[in-house]
Structures are given as structure tokens and as C-alpha cells.
């Protein structure tokens, strides 16, 4: 039985990390192997809980985190019950329910012991490491292939959802004359956001410099301003942490020089100029900020989905009260770590959470698979029991 559980965990990790888009669609709702494997264990967990008289045993840290989430979960659930929505938003509504309302409960409460086991078992670190190495190398290979041949390798049901086969170019992936690096995530922004979440985790555990270099190269080649901002935030966190000696100041200087040199080269590569960085239309998102001129206190009568600028969408759909509750919701892992500071340096994985909270002001890709699965898994992982704390020094070199 133990071997079966281990095999199940490994397969689930592989499909969530390496092949997150593999699967098919029913109508507009994508069914991916990773999510199906992730959720298939829920009935067995519920059976076990029934046998234990529904006694959930999870740490005080996860309890506090979930408690901070519940006001927004209840508020938005009630709001959705009384809201109308267009028929074409059925897929987004289903994704909202799973990603925003259900996923924190699953990761913080139902799967807490399984995540602790993953945290305490070095074997799983290797699985994570090789999955991330795969998506890095595969993404770079696809990027080069697209430039050289004009085509990319797509394996239906595995690297791409069968319903999207042959349509990757249409998923907002074109940037000038180039296509964003998408890897197996089928969209450059989704890939970049997911990797930013995992950046501190990966860099702390990756022993080979070449893969670290390739990792940041892949992030840069997503050609996404949001991802570039996230990379800069990560580098600033590294610098702030190490700004205690001459090495830290040298790192700061080299980072500034590197940004000044690399960004213009990337823009030239895309046949774009500096106006790309100062786009007043925010890449077609500026209209989402119009809600700041005319927002309500409570929820709107119609659910309009969650767009790129997550905070603006929350204000649009749920009013000022909903936005405040959502901010507490999204900050809940960090608030919990502030309350329990002994876990704050835990692999520095909380940096990934912080980066995501910030880039949600630009493009959080919140309802798109597998973003929130990563966010809540990482949050629960970061809040693992203090008896298992493994401190790692986060190094780029």
C-alpha cells in the first residue's frame, strides 16, 4: 500500500508539473490528467475521515491560514449564488469554484498530511527537480524549433489539451515576430507565473548552475512584462537578503547593469522598442482599471469573470468589501508566516507567494490551470510542521 501511495504521488507530481495541460475538454471546461489525479484521492480521504468521525488533524499554522481565507470564500460563494453570468463564462465559473473556493481547503486541510510527507521525503525533491528541468529544456527547445521551422512539437493529450491541438499560436502567445516560450504550459504568461511561484523553491534545490541559467533564460524568453517584473522582484529579494557586505553591493551593481543591457536586446529580438515597456494601454488591460472610477461597496449583480488584473476584477465582481476580503485571502499564507516567524525562512518558498501577490496587479492568470493549484500547494508546503523545518540557503551562484 505504501508503494502504491508513493507511485500515485509521483505520477500526480509529474502530470501537474511537467504536463499540466494534458487532457481534454467537456464543452469549455478543461479536464487535465494532473487535476484529475490530484482530486481523485478526495473520496478516499473522505472515507477515512468518516471512519475517524470527521476529525481533521492539521497544524495551527494551516488552521490560521484557512481561517483567514474563509471570509472571502463565504462572501464570494453567497455573491455567486445571487449573481447572473453569461453562458460563455461557464468554464470560468467552474474554474473559480475549484481554484479559489475549493483549492485552499483541499491543500490546507484535506491533503495536509500528504504534503507533509512530500516535504519530509527527499525522494520527492528529486521528482520536482527533474520535472522542472524537463519543462525548462522542453520550453527552450520549442522556442528554438519555432524560430527555425515555424512549427512546434505538440503531443495531444500530453503536452497539449486535445481541444487546443494546433491552436497554441492563438493563445495570446505572439509577441512581435516571435512566439513566447510556452513549454508544456501552452501559454507564456501561465508558464512564467507558475515558474515565478516556484522560483525560490527551485533555485534553493537546484545544484547545477547550468540549469539555473537555463531557468532564468526560459523565464526571460516568455517575453512577458509581468514575468520580467517578477524576475526583478526575485533578484531584489536576493540582493536585500545579501546586502550586508561588498559581495551584495557587487551583485546589486551587476543586476542593474544586466537589466540595462539585456532588456534592450530582448526588445530588439522582438522587433519592438522601449515603448513596449511604457505602454499606456497596459497590453490591452487599461480598461480593467476603469472600475476605480465607479465601484460598488458590495457585489455586482453580474459575475464577469476574473481578468488579468486580479484586484480590479475582484473590485468589479465583489465590490470594495470583496476586494478587502480577497486581499486578506491572498495574503493569508504570508500573514500566517508573520504570526509564526520560525517558519519564515523555510526554503524561502514564501518569496514565491509574495511575488505572485505582487504580479496579480498585472497578470495573475488566476483561473488558469495549474496556477492556483501551485499557489495553494506551495502555501501548504511552506506551512509544514516545524518539526520538519529544513533551512536552505538560497543562492543564485
Amino acid at each position: 500500500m505504501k508503494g502504491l501511495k508513493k507511485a500515485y504521488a509521483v505520477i500526480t507530481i509529474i502530470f501537474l508539473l511537467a504536463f499540466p495541460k494534458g487532457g481534454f475538454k467537456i464543452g469549455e471546461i478543461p479536464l487535465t490528467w494532473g487535476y484529475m489525479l490530484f482530486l481523485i484521492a478526495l473520496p478516499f480521504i473522505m472515507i477515512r475521515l468518516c471512519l475517524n468521525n470527521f476529525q481533521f488533524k492539521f497544524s495551527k499554522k494551516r488552521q490560521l491560514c484557512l481561517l483567514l481565507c474563509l471570509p472571502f470564500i463565504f462572501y464570494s460563494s453567497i455573491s455567486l449564488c445571487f449573481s447572473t453570468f453569461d453562458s460563455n463564462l461557464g468554464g470560468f465559473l467552474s474554474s473559480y469554484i475549484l481554484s479559489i473556493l475549493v483549492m485552499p481547503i483541499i491543500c490546507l486541510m484535506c491533503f495536509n498530511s500528504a504534503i507533509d510527507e512530500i516535504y519530509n521525503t527527499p525522494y520527492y525533491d528529486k521528482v520536482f527537480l527533474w520535472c522542472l528541468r524537463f519543462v525548462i529544456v522542453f520550453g527552450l527547445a520549442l522556442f528554438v524549433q519555432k524560430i527555425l521551422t515555424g512549427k512546434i512539437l505538440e503531443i495531444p493529450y500530453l503536452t497539449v489539451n486535445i481541444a487546443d491541438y494546433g491552436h497554441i499560436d492563438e493563445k495570446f502567445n505572439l509577441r512581435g515576430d516571435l512566439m513566447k516560450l510556452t513549454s508544456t504550459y501552452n501559454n507564456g504568461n501561465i508558464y512564467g507565473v507558475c515558474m515565478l511561484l516556484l522560483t525560490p523553491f527551485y533555485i534553493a534545490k537546484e545544484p547545477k548552475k547550468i540549469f539555473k541559467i537555463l531557468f532564468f533564460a526560459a523565464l526571460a524568453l516568455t517575453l512577458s512584462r509581468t514575468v520580467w517584473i517578477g524576475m526583478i522582484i526575485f533578484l531584489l529579494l536576493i540582493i536585500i537578503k545579501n546586502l550586508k557586505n561588498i559581495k551584495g553591493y557587487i551583485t546589486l551593481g551587476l543586476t542593474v547593469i544586466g537589466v540595462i543591457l539585456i532588456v534592450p536586446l530582448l526588445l530588439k529580438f522582438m522587433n519592438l522598442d522601449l515603448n513596449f515597456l511604457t505602454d499606456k494601454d497596459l497590453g490591452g488591460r487599461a480598461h480593467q482599471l476603469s472600475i476605480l472610477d465607479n465601484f460598488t461597496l458590495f457585489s455586482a449583480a453580474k459575475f464577469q469573470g476574473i481578468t488579468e488584473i486580479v484586484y480590479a476584477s475582484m473590485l468589479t465582481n465583489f465590490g470594495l468589501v470583496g476586494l478587502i476580503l480577497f486581499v486578506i485571502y491572498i495574503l493569508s499564507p504570508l500573514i500566517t508566516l508573520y504570526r509564526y516567524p520560525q517558519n519564515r525562512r523555510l526554503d524561502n518558498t514564501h518569496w514565491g507567494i509574495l511575488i505572485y501577490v505582487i504580479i496579480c496587479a498585472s497578470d495573475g492568470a488566476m483561473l488558469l490551470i495549474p496556477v492556483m493549484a501551485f499557489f495553494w500547494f506551495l502555501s501548504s508546503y511552506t506551512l509544514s510542521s516545524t518539526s520538519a523545518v529544513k533551512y536552505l540557503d538560497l543562492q543564485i551562484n
Side-chain angles (χ1 to χ4, degrees):
M1 182 62 72
K2 191 174 181 179
L4 185 62
K5 285 174 61 178
K6 190 174 183 179
Y8 165 77
V10 169
I11 294 170
T12 302
I13 291 169
I14 290 172
F15 275 100
L16 279 173
L17 275 177
F19 304 107
K21 294 295 185 178
F24 56 96
K25 286 184 179 180
I26 296 179
E28 293 298 318
I29 301 174
L31 298 176
T32 63
W33 309 125
Y35 266 41
M36 285 190 282
L37 283 166
F38 186 63
L39 298 175
I40 202 172
L42 273 179
F44 299 99
I45 291 175
M46 296 309 296
I47 292 171
R48 188 176 68 181
L49 287 172
C50 287
L51 297 175
N52 292 328
N53 297 318
F54 287 94
Q55 292 182 1
F56 284 95
K57 294 181 180 179
F58 58 117
S59 68
K60 290 183 178 179
K61 293 182 289 297
R62 290 188 178 122
Q63 289 178 35
L64 174 59
C65 188
L66 185 57
L67 187 64
L68 292 169
C69 292
L70 288 179
F72 179 73
I73 290 175
F74 287 133
Y75 177 86
S76 61
S77 297
I78 294 170
S79 298
L80 289 173
C81 289
F82 292 96
S83 296
T84 60
F85 58 92
D86 293 333
S87 58
N88 63 342
L89 286 178
F92 282 100
L93 184 60
S94 300
S95 183
Y96 183 91
I97 292 170
L98 176 60
S99 300
I100 310 298
L101 307 184
V102 178
M103 197 62 74
I105 298 172
I106 291 174
C107 291
L108 293 170
M109 186 167 67
C110 298
F111 286 171
N112 70 95
S113 59
I115 291 173
D116 278 341
E117 185 175 342
I118 288 173
Y119 175 75
N120 285 310
T121 308
Y123 174 82
Y124 292 114
D125 287 349
K126 295 180 181 179
V127 178
F128 277 105
L129 198 61
W130 280 104
C131 284
L132 288 170
R133 286 175 176 176
F134 168 76
V135 296
I136 293 166
V137 174
F138 189 78
L140 291 168
L142 288 189
F143 188 84
V144 173
Q145 182 191 20
K146 179 65 175 179
I147 293 174
L148 296 179
T149 69
K151 299 178 181 179
I152 60 171
L153 174 65
E154 296 178 74
I155 305 174
Y157 296 106
L158 188 62
T159 66
V160 61
N161 190 294
I162 184 60
D164 297 324
Y165 181 70
H167 300 287
I168 301 302
D169 285 1
E170 302 169 15
K171 288 185 168 291
F172 305 101
N173 283 321
L174 296 180
R175 184 71 84 194
D177 296 331
L178 297 175
M179 192 178 89
K180 299 176 182 179
L181 185 145
T182 62
S183 191
T184 56
Y185 288 65
N186 297 180
N187 176 275
N189 280 48
I190 296 175
Y191 172 77
V193 167
C194 288
M195 293 304 105
L196 286 172
L197 271 166
L198 298 175
T199 293
F201 173 88
Y202 176 70
I203 295 303
K205 295 182 181 297
E206 177 56 75
K208 296 186 181 296
K209 291 182 180 179
I210 183 61
F211 281 110
K212 293 180 182 180
I213 294 170
L214 293 177
F215 177 77
F216 285 109
L219 282 178
L221 292 176
T222 59
L223 309 180
S224 164
R225 287 165 290 202
T226 297
V227 177
W228 293 354
I229 291 169
M231 291 173 64
I232 291 171
I233 294 170
F234 174 73
L235 291 173
L236 287 174
L237 289 170
I238 289 285
I239 291 166
I240 292 169
K241 178 184 175 182
N242 294 293
L243 205 59
K244 300 174 182 177
N245 49 45
I246 189 64
K247 184 179 178 180
Y249 288 98
I250 292 173
T251 303
L252 173 61
L254 292 176
T255 300
V256 172
I257 294 170
V259 170
I260 292 172
L261 294 176
I262 292 173
V263 170
L265 287 175
L266 284 172
L267 293 175
K268 186 176 181 180
F269 194 43
M270 294 185 286
N271 290 325
L272 298 172
D273 55 30
L274 288 174
N275 291 327
F276 174 72
L277 300 179
T278 57
D279 179 15
K280 293 181 180 179
D281 193 39
L282 303 178
R285 300 169 192 152
H287 70 279
Q288 296 174 28
L289 298 177
S290 62
I291 187 63
L292 296 175
D293 299 322
N294 185 27
F295 59 85
T296 59
L297 184 60
F298 298 104
S299 299
K302 187 175 183 179
F303 179 69
Q304 301 180 37
I306 307 299
T307 52
E308 293 93 341
I309 303 178
V310 174
Y311 302 112
S313 288
M314 292 300 172
L315 186 60
T316 299
N317 289 296
F318 303 114
L320 181 59
V321 171
L323 175 61
I324 293 171
L325 294 178
F326 174 75
V327 170
I328 296 171
Y329 168 97
I330 201 72
L331 286 174
S332 59
L334 299 177
I335 295 172
T336 303
L337 287 172
Y338 182 80
R339 171 65 180 81
Y340 294 95
Q342 66 268 30
N343 261 44
R344 203 176 300 167
R345 288 185 61 245
L346 177 62
D347 299 355
N348 288 301
T349 49
H350 62 288
W351 285 5
I353 298 168
L354 175 61
I355 292 169
Y356 182 73
V357 168
I358 295 171
I359 63 173
C360 274
S362 174
D363 186 354
M366 183 164 274
L367 298 190
L368 302 176
I369 296 172
V371 175
M372 291 311 285
F374 281 21
F375 178 88
W376 284 113
F377 173 86
L378 188 67
S379 297
S380 187
Y381 178 91
T382 304
L383 298 172
S384 290
S385 60
T386 54
S387 61
V389 170
K390 299 179 291 184
Y391 291 102
L392 296 179
D393 288 327
L394 192 54
Q395 303 285 347
I396 289 184
N397 58 315

